[in-house]
Amino acid sequence: RSVLKDKKVLVRVDFNVPLDENLKITDDTRIVQSLPTIDKIIDDHGIPILMSHLGRPKGEKKAKFSLKPVADYLINNYGYDVIFADDCIGDDVLNLINNADIGQIVLLENLRFYKEEEANDLEFAKKLAANGEVFVNDAFGAAHRAHASTAGITQFVEEKYAGKLMLDELEYLGKALNSPVRPFVAIIGGSKISGKIDVIRNLMDKCNSIIIGGGMMFTFYKAMGYNIGNSILEADKVDLAKELIELAKSKGVNLLLPTDVVIADAFNNDANFKSVSSNDIPDGWIGMDISEDSIKTFSETIIAAKIIVWNGPMGVFEMSNFANGTFSIAKALATATDRGAISIVGGGDSVAAIKQMGYSKKVSHVSTGGGASLEFLEGKQLPGVVALGL
């Protein structure tokens, strides 16, 4: 007999989905990824009471941040019987929940319409807890925040569990960090070193190779004394880049920087562009992507790996002329996975890139939590996970 039978099951989901100006959902990944947990509750004859945040309404009720479009989407696209509550706490909400039948879903309005949510206010958490009898946290994307719906609420609920999505994330990321099969390769891209310093540091103790791409490579080049033209630079991080290069040497980690880059004479897709050696960027030109030799070296390293973590694109992939580096890395990841490697993609931009390129089904795991997966890779404890006693 299921622990969920005839229970009202409060589920923290991550329905923070992108909406266009007509409030239409433009990417339903996060919704789709929560469906296995929702289905399990319904199959076990429980009633899922879903709660989520959307955007940053900062404690005010704003129509453009309502979760109503998500309720409609679940009804129209997946055929669920959804009751939408226009609040997330209070007697009216409790009445709706108490009148819901097995087979129905109740979706509560945006938690962040209350500033108490982000403040992890315990009175608010208690009111949320009153909406159900069992708590399931399936919002890995919000697990790095100690909010009322992820942390505080666990003090007022006897039975608490991690949902399927949360468990999958922890299993994949945990496997990468705690018992990496070798060779273990990390690919770190994106425009800035600053957001990734702690990840790179933490991975130095675990990886055989760390591949660096994206805008942050120019700060490393600067540290190596190269001319970088008009490429993006974090001038205050040059010394840090030097330090990371030295650290890699001392730990015997293969820190791979691109040996050639695609440069353009302006930051747009129609600019003139060409490939040059990394130490040969002329004044006035901008580095936009990694080039052929680097792609070849990086791909060989990836294909030989047993476990690969990728966070951040290799270049300005939003422009078609400068998407080849990121596309090639995605392809190498798919090949490695095909040969039995475990591949994990995390971080908003790399997830967007791998989807855009049609490779998201060809890797082992696409992480839903940008900030959460980064903090996990930094070796930090996630409050939402700790609160479940995991």
Side-chain angles (χ1 to χ4, degrees), residues 123-288:
E123 274 308 303
F124 179 69
K126 195 173 179 179
K127 288 175 187 164
L128 285 177
N131 291 326
E133 300 153 284
V134 179
F135 172 65
V136 174
N137 191 347
D138 209 28
F140 179 75
H144 60 311
R145 304 269 181 252
H147 289 167
S149 65
T150 58
I153 191 168
T154 57
Q155 297 182 28
F156 305 102
V157 192
E158 284 289 303
E159 292 182 67
K160 41 187 181 277
Y161 305 99
K164 185 178 184 319
L165 174 59
M166 178 77 92
L167 290 171
D168 282 353
E169 292 275 12
L170 295 173
E171 187 200 350
Y172 274 105
L173 293 167
K175 204 180 280 175
L177 287 187
N178 303 325
S179 53
V181 205
R182 307 210 158 260
F184 178 18
V185 175
I187 309 153
I188 308 288
S191 56
K192 294 197 163 83
I193 290 188
S194 44
K196 311 276 167 86
I197 298 163
D198 294 335
V199 177
I200 296 171
R201 279 219 173 103
N202 192 37
L203 291 175
M204 286 266 185
D205 292 326
K206 306 180 188 303
C207 285
N208 300 87
S209 304
I210 296 179
I211 292 170
I212 302 283
M216 68 165 78
M217 63 186 168
F218 304 106
T219 303
F220 280 96
Y221 291 158
K222 198 74 177 169
M224 292 155 76
Y226 295 0
N227 184 26
I228 60 166
N230 286 353
S231 307
I232 184 174
L233 171 70
E234 286 178 281
D236 60 334
K237 295 287 181 279
V238 173
D239 288 343
L240 183 88
K242 270 189 195 140
E243 206 182 294
L244 291 170
I245 292 169
E246 289 308 314
L247 190 64
K249 275 193 194 127
S250 72
K251 288 185 182 286
V253 172
N254 189 11
L255 187 68
L256 289 168
L257 281 154
T259 48
D260 55 350
V261 286
V262 177
I263 58 172
D265 59 2
F267 190 78
N268 64 57
N269 200 43
D270 306 321
N272 297 307
F273 63 94
K274 59 182 180 183
S275 281
V276 296
S277 283
S278 304
N279 57 358
D280 210 14
I281 300 173
D283 288 341
W285 287 68
I286 306 166
M288 301 292 275

Side-chain angles (χ1 to χ4, degrees), residues 8-10 49 94 97 128-134 157:
K8 295 174 186 66
V9 185
L10 256 178
I49 317 295
L94 285 172
I97 291 170
L128 285 177
N131 291 326
E133 300 153 284
V134 179
V157 192

